[in-house]
Amino acid sequence: MTSDRAAVLAQLTGFLKTMLKPDQFSRLGPETPLREFGVLDSLGMARLVTFIRDDMGVAVPMRHLTGARFRSLDDITDLVLTLRA
């Protein structure tokens, strides 16, 4: 499971890298609060959920689209792994 977690975290990090400026990306960590960091506004959230669905093959039900589940990369990784199970 640890390798699955690392792979999911790497995919999500790689995607978020496309949404950030280089100086922002260098400060992004697994526990960085994404909303406060300026990554997950409404457009960013839509892009991320689409990436999770289309590229990772995981549909995110509406009831899971909460601030708590999308607070950080760690939280999103947990959500993806839970929905895959």
Side-chain angles (χ1 to χ4, degrees), residues 67-82:
R69 293 187 188 270
F70 283 82
R71 190 187 74 74
S72 68
L73 281 167
D74 273 343
D75 296 323
I76 301 166
T77 298
D78 290 341
L79 174 62
V80 169
L81 291 171
T82 297

Side-chain angles (χ1 to χ4, degrees), residues 5-74:
R5 180 172 183 70
V8 169
L9 182 59
Q11 280 185 282
L12 292 168
T13 301
F15 174 75
L16 286 180
K17 182 178 183 177
T18 68
M19 297 171 59
L20 298 172
K21 296 175 184 169
D23 66 314
Q24 286 178 305
F25 182 72
S26 66
R27 295 180 286 137
L28 180 68
E31 295 181 11
T32 302
L34 299 175
R35 187 171 195 101
E36 289 85 1
F37 199 66
V39 177
L40 286 187
D41 55 13
S42 57
L43 179 58
M45 182 73 155
R47 289 180 62 201
L48 178 58
V49 170
T50 300
F51 171 78
I52 292 170
R53 182 192 67 217
D54 294 348
D55 291 57
M56 300 180 81
V58 177
V60 180
M62 289 295 291
R63 69 180 179 277
H64 292 300
L65 297 177
T66 65
R69 293 187 188 270
F70 283 82
R71 190 187 74 74
S72 68
L73 281 167
D74 273 343

